[in-house]
Amino acid sequence: MPSNDGEPTQIVFAIDESYSLPLTVAWHSLRASNAELTDRLQIDLLYEELSPLTIERLRWHAELLGLRVRLRPVHLEPIRYPTAFGGAHANYLRLVIPEMYLDRERVLYLDADLVIRGDLSALFGTELDGRPLGAVRDPLNPVVGRGRALPGWSKLGIPPEQEYFNSGVLLIDPAACREERLFARAIEFIAAHPEHIRLWDQDALNWAAQDRWKRLEPHWNAFPLSALVRTPWVRYTTQDLMPLQDLVRLEETSAVLHFASPAKPWKDLLPEGPAAASYRALLSAVRSAERSFTPAI
C-alpha cells in the first residue's frame, strides 16, 4: 500500500451505539487474522455520539487486543440524511473521510458488520490505477438497472448496465477524492435528491463515482449468500450476471465476510449455516472476554 516511510496503515470504522457490539467482533477477527500487522495499524473510529460506558468498553477491547485505536467524534453537514429501510445516520459518516485524512495516501474503510478472515496486506497493497477509490461490486445490486439501488436511476440519466459497488469495504485515495470532489458531490446529491436514496451513502457514492472506481477482487467483500437467500429480505434475481453458486463458493474462502442486509447474526436473524456458526463463535469469544471488563463508570 502506498505510504510514507514508517507511516502506519490507516483503517477507519464508523458506528453508532447500536453497532458497538459487532464492531468489537470485527476487531477481534482483525487481530486474530492479522496479528503480524497489528503494530503497523492505526485504527480510527468515527462517531457522532456514544455513551461514556460504550467508549470505555471499546477502549478496553482495543487495549486487550493490542490495537492502536483513536475515537474521533465527527459532525456531518446539516442536511437531511435518508435512513428509511433500516439505515442510520452513522451510514453517512464515511463521507467525511477525504477531508479528515489530508496526510494519508490511502485509507481503508471497513463496515462494523463484517469479520476479517484473511491477511489484509494484499488489499493494502492494491494499486488504484488512478481511480479515487476501490470497491467490490455489490452481489445483490451488480448494476443500477437491477436490484434496489438508486431508485429512479433512469431519471438521473444513468445507464442500466452501469456497475454498482458495495461501500462496506472501500480503499480510498483521499487526495484523489478531494481533487474529484467525489465524496463532496455525494453529499450534494443527498441534499438535492433524497428521493433517489435507497441504500444510503452507497447510492450517493455510486452516483458520484459513476465508473471511476477500481474493481477489487470479490473475496475482499463477500456476503453470506447461502444464508441470505433463505431470509425474507433477499430475493436473488441476478443469476445471469453473478451466478449464485459462484458467490456461495466465494463466501467459503473470502478474506472479508460482510453480514449485509437486516439479517444480522448478533441479533440471531441469520439462518443456520457455516456463516452464522462462525460468527457465533467469534461473538461468544467476545462475550467471554468481557467477563473480565469492570467499568469504572
Side-chain angles (χ1 to χ4, degrees):
M1 181 176 182
S3 65
N4 298 326
D5 291 342
E7 180 183 87
T9 299
Q10 182 69 62
I11 298 180
V12 175
F13 294 88
I15 67 163
D16 60 13
E17 193 79 27
S18 67
Y19 273 78
S20 63
L21 175 59
L23 175 64
T24 59
V25 174
W27 284 356
H28 279 252
S29 73
L30 173 62
R31 182 65 177 82
S33 58
N34 287 266
E36 294 183 0
L37 284 177
T38 298
D39 291 342
R40 293 168 44 199
L41 297 179
Q42 172 61 58
I43 300 172
D44 284 6
L45 174 60
L46 310 184
Y47 69 97
E48 288 185 292
E49 185 175 352
L50 293 174
S51 71
L53 180 59
T54 292
I55 289 174
E56 184 182 358
R57 177 177 164 273
L58 291 173
R59 286 177 172 156
W60 181 87
H61 276 281
E63 183 176 357
L64 174 71
L65 296 169
L67 298 176
R68 186 185 341 179
V69 174
R70 293 186 300 186
L71 276 69
R72 304 190 66 178
V74 297
H75 299 286
L76 293 170
E77 292 191 22
I79 63 173
R80 182 171 74 87
Y81 295 91
T83 56
F85 308 106
H89 217 241
N91 289 111
Y92 297 96
L93 294 179
R94 75 202 75 184
L95 298 179
V96 305
I97 287 175
E99 302 303 324
M100 289 189 67
Y101 295 93
L102 302 177
D103 61 339
R104 296 289 188 177
E105 293 187 30
R106 291 290 185 276
V107 172
L108 176 62
Y109 170 83
L110 298 174
D111 269 355
D113 59 347
L114 52 73
V115 295
I116 299 151
R117 310 189 299 181
D119 185 352
L120 293 179
S121 298
L123 177 56
F124 294 143
T126 300
E127 291 294 336
L128 294 179
D129 303 328
R131 309 293 175 87
L133 61 80
V136 173
R137 195 176 179 190
D138 191 293
L140 298 178
N141 304 274
V143 295
V144 297
R146 306 275 288 275
R148 300 178 178 179
L150 269 171
W153 50 267
S154 59
K155 296 179 181 177
L156 295 167
I158 301 174
E161 68 276 10
Q162 180 174 300
E163 293 185 0
Y164 182 95
F165 61 81
N166 182 272
S167 65
V169 176
L170 295 174
L171 187 60
I172 299 168
D173 180 336
C177 287
R178 290 193 300 273
E179 182 178 352
E180 299 190 16
R181 298 192 67 254
L182 195 158
F183 284 57
R185 286 187 291 109
I187 293 172
E188 291 167 0
F189 178 78
I190 295 164
H193 298 288
E195 73 276 12
H196 292 299
I197 299 293
R198 171 62 176 79
L199 297 179
W200 319 297
D201 67 285
Q202 191 168 278
D203 281 345
L205 285 170
N206 272 273
W207 175 85
Q210 297 182 28
D211 204 39
R212 289 276 300 152
W213 54 283
K214 167 83 174 194
R215 275 66 172 168
L216 299 179
E217 292 296 325
H219 67 268
W220 294 122
N221 189 357
F223 292 7
L225 279 163
S226 61
L228 291 181
V229 294
R230 292 182 279 130
T231 71
W233 299 287
V234 173
R235 181 171 169 265
Y236 197 74
T237 61
T238 53
Q239 176 71 17
D240 56 321
L241 297 177
M242 303 180 78
L244 181 59
Q245 60 270 27
D246 293 346
L247 295 172
V248 170
R249 282 196 296 269
L250 177 66
E251 97 184 49
E252 299 171 0
T253 59
S254 65
V256 177
L257 189 60
H258 183 189
F259 293 88
S261 92
K264 302 306 184 188
W266 63 91
K267 296 181 179 179
D268 293 326
L269 295 176
L270 190 69
E272 287 299 321
S278 65
Y279 195 92
R280 259 199 319 270
L282 276 168
L283 182 60
S284 177
V286 169
R287 287 175 167 157
S288 177
E290 283 193 347
R291 291 177 189 148
S292 60
F293 170 53
T294 304
I297 297 174

